Amino acid sequence: MTLLVLVLLDLAIPDASIALSPLFALAPLIACSVLPAERTAAFAAAALVAAVGSGVWNDHSVTPQHVVRLVDVALIGVAAVVVAAVRVRGERQVGRLTTLAEVAQQAVLPVLPAHARHTDIAVRYQAAAEDTVIGGDLYDCYHSRSHTRFLIGDVRGKGIEAVEQAARVIRAFRQAAAIQPDLDAVAEDMSGYLIPFFDEEEFVTALLLDTTDPARPLWVDAGHPPPLLVRPDQTCEFLDTDADLPLGLGERYTCHEFAWRPGDRLLLYTDGVSEARNFSGAFLDLRELGPLLVGGPLEAALDRLLNAVRAHAARGQLSDDVAVMLLEHTTTGEEYRPLAGEHDWRTSLPR
């Protein structure tokens, strides 16, 4: 469109001494920002052909100045093709690194069951598009005959060190969740275990949840964004309270109760969701997305949520890693159900 407008203007100007042909090079320059090298080359060729034609209809095709104009359009066209090729290669490299980051993080994160004692479960992790350094987002579920407990957290920092600490936090959770009778004691045990491994600037924000008794669910907020409770009628609210210190910094933690009924859903998330910003710098308001979490399978609800987060984010790309966990209070008494395709170890036990 740019090239066409410039050609028409060049034809319309009655003064033959005024030639717009050098501006024809704008077409491949604009194309290289969004198109691959092959299509940018087509725009560059079209601009050069139009520049040759400009010399014909302006009657200065054999002048030295026109030759300079042609060389200018040709060189800028070649440069645009090179820029497009470099841009595409960079985008592909970022895509590969993002995929590798997700794979590396998934190797650390455990596979959670689809259901555990009156609670349906869905989780998702996605690496940031703008930062291909692996982050420390984590989640886990501990389920036994005596307890059903959940963890979501975010280790401060990036890189292999953050992944190592995330694995250590998951290990601390499994150890404490198995032996501590109360959820606040789980958090205190975890923090005490992690302190010797953390330096002065390291910590992990975390949220612990206990749904062992569905009529009396408990949670501990260790400096983490509050969970979002969504009702079947699409109303929602944050379970907000005064947060305790992150794990690795605190010594005492407080349990909180909340009420949820069958059909209610609870969203646990890391700050990659709550701190997603648009072009104007405005944060995402999760309460507006609450209705997206109602109805249908939990996995589909998470798809809708993550699509909305990307739609809000600048350029449609996540600027930070994202871990989300969606839980639904169900009436089923089934103790445990693995994910589809996951081997249920209990079926191989001798009877």
Side-chain angles (χ1 to χ4, degrees):
M1 180 62 71
T2 301
L3 181 59
L4 178 61
V5 170
L6 289 172
V7 169
L8 293 177
L9 286 175
D10 193 43
L11 288 169
I13 294 177
D15 189 351
S17 64
I18 300 176
L20 300 182
S21 54
L23 298 179
F24 295 172
L26 287 174
L29 281 179
I30 295 173
C32 75
S33 65
V34 293
L35 298 178
E38 296 80 5
R39 297 180 65 181
T40 300
F43 277 92
L48 183 59
V49 170
V52 172
S54 175
V56 174
W57 60 67
N58 286 313
D59 296 324
H60 44 59
S61 59
V62 295
T63 63
Q65 186 62 36
H66 182 63
V67 174
V68 173
R69 295 183 187 122
L70 293 180
V71 171
D72 175 73
V73 172
L75 290 178
I76 293 178
V78 171
V81 172
V82 172
V83 169
V86 172
R87 177 185 57 79
V88 170
R89 184 175 62 181
E91 290 175 351
R92 289 173 179 172
Q93 183 178 13
V94 169
R96 288 193 297 268
L97 290 174
T98 301
T99 301
L100 288 174
E102 289 182 349
V103 171
Q105 190 75 3
Q106 292 290 357
V108 174
L109 296 175
V111 176
L112 304 193
H115 176 88
R117 190 185 282 115
H118 299 287
T119 305
D120 283 347
I121 307 163
V123 292
R124 196 73 57 82
Y125 169 84
Q126 288 193 357
E130 297 182 357
D131 185 356
T132 56
V133 180
I134 305 172
D137 295 38
L138 60 99
Y139 53 74
D140 197 9
C141 167
Y142 173 81
H143 176 64
S144 69
R145 293 181 179 179
S146 57
H147 291 102
T148 298
R149 288 165 170 170
F150 299 91
L151 165 72
I152 192 165
D154 189 359
V155 175
R156 183 184 184 276
K158 295 283 186 181
I160 297 300
E161 295 81 5
V163 175
E164 179 183 7
Q165 297 292 30
R168 185 170 283 119
V169 173
I170 291 174
R171 182 164 64 249
F173 171 69
R174 293 183 177 181
Q175 292 174 175
I179 62 175
Q180 294 296 343
D182 301 316
L183 193 62
D184 53 353
V186 173
E188 292 165 4
D189 196 347
M190 290 177 64
S191 188
Y193 173 85
L194 293 171
I195 286 175
F197 296 102
F198 286 177
D199 62 30
E200 294 180 354
E201 297 182 355
E202 286 185 313
F203 57 84
V204 54
T205 66
L207 193 144
L208 287 79
L209 178 71
D210 190 320
T211 62
T212 305
D213 181 358
R216 186 175 172 268
L218 305 170
W219 64 294
V220 170
D221 187 348
H224 200 75
L228 182 69
L229 180 64
V230 184
R231 311 287 186 187
D233 62 1
Q234 300 188 358
T235 60
C236 59
E237 61 179 319
F238 286 114
L239 303 183
D240 213 351
T241 187
D242 294 332
D244 295 315
L245 290 174
L247 301 179
L249 297 178
E251 296 181 357
R252 294 288 181 268
Y253 292 88
T254 305
C255 266
H256 307 277
E257 292 187 28
F258 69 97
W260 73 337
R261 297 179 292 274
D264 290 350
R265 292 181 172 182
L266 190 68
L267 177 68
L268 285 61
Y269 54 92
T270 57
D271 58 10
V273 175
S274 57
E275 296 183 2
R277 298 182 184 225
N278 58 18
F279 283 107
S280 63
F283 288 113
L284 177 65
D285 187 353
L286 283 180
R287 288 170 296 188
E288 295 180 359
L289 304 184
L292 298 178
L293 300 175
V294 177
L298 296 184
E299 293 288 347
L302 284 184
D303 286 337
R304 294 192 296 268
L305 174 72
L306 292 175
N307 288 338
V309 173
R310 282 189 290 266
H312 176 84
R315 298 185 301 278
Q317 296 180 338
L318 300 176
S319 60
D320 195 5
D321 295 349
V322 166
V324 287
M325 177 186 296
L326 186 60
L327 308 174
E328 180 175 351
H329 183 193
T330 66
T331 56
T332 176
E334 189 176 13
E335 284 296 307
Y336 172 88
R337 184 171 70 249
L339 292 174
E342 179 189 355
H343 175 65
D344 188 346
W345 56 269
R346 298 171 303 169
T347 60
S348 60
L349 294 178
R351 298 182 181 274

